[in-house]
């Protein structure tokens, strides 16, 4: 395929993905907005008043970056895993497999769809957050980079999950039993510096901690982790997962037999 | 890219499809293809027949990059699938056996997206999709979600989708399964037109009448092997006998015998006659007149290809048992 044709193929996959989650916005966009509103009301306003300040900020201000990042992570992941798994189960992934669209474009198309939903939901949650607090973004470029790279990373992870999944249970295992606990323990609601040294050190093995803190640094200017550590981790994980996804696609594992 | 595919064919007249020693063994040890060889010339309308599990869909899957082959070579218009996969893919259009589109998408979107995967601009894909849907009598449904279509409409949608990039080789895996006779016949007309316009077509079907009427050449697969590969007319000319069924006006108790043909009861009201293909039917009617047998109607027991198919499969099984 020529570069122009490759670009057209990418757009086709991306548009299809965006139309897919847009068509079912009541299932994809609205629920995170409602859930996050509840978080802001309960944890931010009601419980937050009792907690007082954290890291020099009102508690509601402190948790906003983490809550936005949480919705970006879960939506990026679930968009790709559900879309690609459905395509696999219903057979319409064959539309792509028989076409000359390169594997990397198939992957990038789905991942871009996941990023679009992740960022879309992130934007909606940010708007909801503005009803409860003011946001003065300290480092806009870093904020944007961290959120895009994180969304990219979890979209790719969702793609790998979908390739291996053989049932809808397998699609839900990772988000429920791995992603959600890691997110909750990833410093969304607290600073890891509050933990005893042993648990603080254990927390450093949680990759989500780096993303949440990187995003918090971008918005509030404070973080438990250095920006360099955040970007290093993001690039290493993206490189690793993207390579795995391309390898699986090119071998046709879970797709071609 | 699809527009230029004529220029990409290497030799002047390479076969549309050339398969050599194609083998496929699944992870569970099942041998689906046991070294098949097949050559399908450009412009052919080729029937690939076989019982369920014979290996037809696996062979098609291997050609269309949906199944990883174990070994062997596949060339499409002279291009080797192992080395020029994207090129090979651009030549092929596939209508699979199962409905495999997203049923929640509108008809037009399914086809236009497929065009995009072949590098066709959205506007051009829409133009082509409109022409195809009009030709297949589906245009009035183009905004409807695919799940709202009837079975016949879904089959036609899959044909339209497979044709969006003007493939030079169209592979149809049981395209008329579950389709009523009227739509089936209109699809036959459409496919014949496509073939006349130069598209090479490979058809698998369980309706052997369909294969007999439409296809020029034929291969029969059995247990992952090609057991017959020849011209349809030549193949049918090998049939030595024809079986005819006669419905009687009144039931019969005893059956007179004939030296010219075999005769037997199907039931008291129905006779079956096996006649040498060179014999005249007049002998049969003379026989009925002599024995005062009144006939209401007559028909072929099976169509000729079906007859041959059953004989060939049975012969292959006997050969395997004797080995």
């Amino acid at each position: 395929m020529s570069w122009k044709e490759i670009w057209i193929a990418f757009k086709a996959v991306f548009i299809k993905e965006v139309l897919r989650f847009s068509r079912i916005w009541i299932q994809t966009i609205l629920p995170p907005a409602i859930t996050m509103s509840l978080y802001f009301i309960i944890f931010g306003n009601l419980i937050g008043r009792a907690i007082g300040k954290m890291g020099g900020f009102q508690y509601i201000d402190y948790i906003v970056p983490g809550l936005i990042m949480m919705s970006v992570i879960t939506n990026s992941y679930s968009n790709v895993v559900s879309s690609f798994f459905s395509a696999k189960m219903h057979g319409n992934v064959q539309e792509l497999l028989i076409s000359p669209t390169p594997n990397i474009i198939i992957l990038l198309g789905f991942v871009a769809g996941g990023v679009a939903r992740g960022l879309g939901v992130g934007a909606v949650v940010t708007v909801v957050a503005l009803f409860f607090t003011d946001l003065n973004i300290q480092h806009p470029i870093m904020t944007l980079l961290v959120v895009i790279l994180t969304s990219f990373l979890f979209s790719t992870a969702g793609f790998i999950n979908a390739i291996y999944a053989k049932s809808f249970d397998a699609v839900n295992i990772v988000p429920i039993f791995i992603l959600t606990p890691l997110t909750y323990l990833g410093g969304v609601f607290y600073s890891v510096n509050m933990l005893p040294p042993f648990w603080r050190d254990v927390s450093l093995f949680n990759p989500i901690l780096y993303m949440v803190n990187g995003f918090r640094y971008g918005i509030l200017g404070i973080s438990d982790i250095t920006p360099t550590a955040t970007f290093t981790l993001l690039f290493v994980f993206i490189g690793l997962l993207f390579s795995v996804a391309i390898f699986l696609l090119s071998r046709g594992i879970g797709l071609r037999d | 890219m699809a527009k230029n595919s004529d220029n990409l064919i290497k030799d002047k007249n390479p076969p549309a499809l050339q398969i050599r020693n194609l083998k496929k063994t699944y992870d569970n040890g099942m041998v689906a293809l046991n070294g098949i060889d097949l050559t399908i010339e450009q412009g052919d309308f080729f029937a690939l027949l076989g019982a369920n599990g014979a290996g037809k869909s696996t062979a098609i899957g291997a050609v269309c990059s949906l199944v990883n082959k174990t070994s062997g070579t596949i060339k499409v218009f002279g291009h080797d699938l192992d080395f020029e996969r994207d090129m090979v893919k651009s030549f092929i259009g596939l209508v699979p056996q199962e409905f495999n589109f997203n049923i929640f998408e509108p008809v037009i979107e399914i086809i236009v997206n497929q065009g995009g995967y072949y590098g066709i601009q959205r506007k051009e894909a829409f133009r082509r999709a409109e022409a195809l849907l009009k030709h297949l009598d589906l245009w009035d449904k183009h905004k409807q979600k695919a799940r709202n279509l009837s079975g016949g409409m879904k089959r036609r949608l899959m044909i339209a989708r497979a044709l969006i990039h003007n493939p030079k080789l169209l592979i149809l895996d049981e395209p008329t399964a579950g389709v009523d006779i009227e739509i089936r016949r209109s699809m036959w007309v459409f496919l014949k037109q496509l073939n006349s316009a130069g598209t090479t077509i490979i058809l698998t079907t369980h309706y052997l009448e369909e294969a007999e009427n439409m296809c020029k050449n034929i291969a029969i697969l059995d247990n992952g092997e090609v057991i017959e590969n020849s011209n349809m007319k030549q193949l049918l000319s090998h049939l030595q006998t024809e079986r005819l069924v006669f419905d009687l006006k009144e039931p019969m108790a005893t059956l007179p015998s004939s030296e010219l043909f075999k005769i037997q009861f199907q039931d008291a009201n129905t006779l079956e006659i096996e006649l040498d293909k060179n014999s005249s039917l007049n002998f049969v009617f003379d026989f009925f007149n002599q024995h005062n047998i009144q006939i209401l109607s007559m028909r072929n027991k099976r169509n000729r290809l079906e007859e041959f198919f059953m004989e060939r499969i049975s012969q292959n099984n006997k050969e395997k048992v004797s080995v």
Side-chain angles (χ1 to χ4, degrees), chain B residues 32-33 48-58 97 173-174 204-208 219-225 227 309-310 312-314 316-317:
Chain B
L33 297 173
L48 186 60
L49 305 181
N52 289 330
K56 306 183 298 290
S57 294
T58 302
Q97 204 176 106
D173 197 357
E174 298 186 30
T204 82
T205 180
H206 283 298
Y207 300 113
L208 299 190
I220 297 176
L221 279 179
D222 191 33
N223 291 317
E225 291 170 358
I227 58 169
F309 179 80
M310 297 309 293
R312 195 64 189 82
I313 295 283
S314 156
N316 191 48
N317 288 340

Side-chain angles (χ1 to χ4, degrees), chain A residues 57-172:
Chain A
F57 288 88
Q58 291 296 327
Y59 187 63
I60 191 166
D61 294 335
Y62 186 83
I63 64 170
V64 163
L67 290 176
I68 294 171
M69 190 53 101
M70 191 160 93
S71 51
V72 170
I73 288 172
T74 50
N75 280 279
S76 302
Y77 190 94
S78 60
N79 191 72
V80 180
V81 74
S82 62
S83 176
F84 196 72
F85 179 72
S86 295
K88 207 172 84 166
M89 283 295 100
H90 297 139
N92 52 298
V93 72
Q94 290 181 1
E95 292 173 342
L96 281 160
L97 297 179
I98 64 167
S99 79
T101 303
N103 288 330
I104 194 166
I105 296 301
I106 295 175
L107 176 59
L108 282 174
F110 273 91
V111 167
V115 171
R117 177 165 156 195
L119 296 187
V121 169
V124 169
V125 172
T126 305
V127 170
V128 171
L130 291 174
F131 286 100
F132 298 91
T133 182
D134 294 325
L135 281 176
N136 295 311
I137 299 173
Q138 301 298 312
H139 307 286
I141 293 174
M142 170 145 184
T143 306
L144 209 58
L145 273 177
V146 171
V147 77
I148 289 172
L149 290 172
T150 304
S151 184
F152 192 97
L153 170 60
F154 282 94
S155 297
T156 312
F159 192 90
I160 294 171
N161 186 172
I163 282 183
Y164 278 115
K166 288 184 176 158
S167 67
F168 281 99
D169 288 342
V171 165
N172 291 322

Side-chain angles (χ1 to χ4, degrees), chain B residues 53-106:
Chain B
K56 306 183 298 290
S57 294
T58 302
I60 288 172
V63 171
C64 295
S65 303
L66 293 174
V67 171
N68 289 329
K69 63 187 169 66
T70 304
S71 63
T73 58
I74 296 168
K75 285 185 179 177
V76 177
F77 294 103
H79 295 270
D80 194 317
L81 184 69
D82 289 333
F83 303 106
E84 297 168 282
R85 188 174 289 269
D86 289 353
M87 182 75 74
V88 166
K89 283 174 167 181
S90 70
F91 288 128
I92 302 173
L94 172 68
V95 180
Q97 204 176 106
E98 308 285 340
F99 298 129
N100 71 341
F101 41 76
N102 185 342
I103 56 169
F104 300 106
E105 285 180 354

Side-chain angles (χ1 to χ4, degrees), chain A residues 1 4-5 8-9 12-13 15-16 19 23 90-92 94-101 251 256-257, chain B residues 1 24 64-68 86 89 100-102 105-106 109-110 113-114 116-121 161:
Chain A
M1 289 180 104
K4 189 182 170 193
E5 288 165 341
I8 292 169
V13 182
I15 290 170
K16 180 186 162 89
L19 288 176
R23 260 196 298 267
H90 297 139
N92 52 298
Q94 290 181 1
E95 292 173 342
L96 281 160
L97 297 179
I98 64 167
S99 79
T101 303
R251 294 290 298 271
R256 284 211 167 88
D257 275 343
Chain B
M1 176 179 51
K24 173 64 189 175
C64 295
S65 303
L66 293 174
V67 171
N68 289 329
D86 289 353
K89 283 174 167 181
N100 71 341
F101 41 76
N102 185 342
E105 285 180 354
E109 231 173 79
I110 290 170
N113 281 337
Q114 188 69 21
Y117 305 153
Y118 287 83
I120 301 165
Q121 291 273 20
R161 184 184 60 177

